[in-house]
Amino acid sequence: MNKTELVAAVAEKSGFSRKDAEKVIAAYTDVVTEELVNGGKVQLIGFGTFEVVERPERMGRNPKSKETITIAASRVPKFKAGKALKDKVNA
């Protein structure tokens, strides 16, 4: 499902117009992004949690030259599915 299909599905389920559904989805992604940038987390009970995790510096290999390289430390967004979502997917 891409963004256009998501907007159409949300509009259909909610009864909103496509334009309003697109605004809601854009606002949602903006809010989640801002919270993660500020180091927070967003927890939606039953669905899952968005958070930022720290990846330490580590050693890796360039697959082309087989040369050992250092991969810099970074902060990456992570999503952990909630129990209700896991149960529905596995049902």
Side-chain angles (χ1 to χ4, degrees):
M1 176 179 280
N2 62 29
K3 186 177 179 181
T4 304
E5 295 166 339
L6 178 62
V7 168
V10 169
E12 185 179 319
K13 280 229 182 227
S14 67
F16 293 155
S17 69
R18 284 183 184 230
K19 194 171 190 175
D20 289 341
E22 189 168 1
K23 286 180 185 177
V24 168
I25 292 169
Y28 170 75
T29 56
D30 289 346
V31 168
V32 170
T33 301
E34 287 174 19
E35 186 64 21
L36 295 178
V37 166
N38 293 330
K41 71 178 183 178
V42 178
Q43 185 175 10
L44 303 171
I45 303 297
F47 182 71
T49 304
F50 296 92
E51 62 186 332
V52 175
V53 295
E54 302 285 334
R55 269 198 191 151
E57 184 177 271
R58 62 194 192 277
M59 300 305 288
R61 274 197 198 277
N62 179 337
K64 192 172 187 179
S65 66
K66 308 292 187 215
E67 177 184 350
T68 301
I69 58 173
T70 301
I71 301 170
S74 63
R75 297 174 62 213
V76 294
K78 178 182 174 183
F79 176 75
K80 181 178 177 188
K83 183 176 181 342
L85 178 59
K86 287 180 191 177
D87 290 345
K88 283 189 177 186
V89 169
N90 289 316

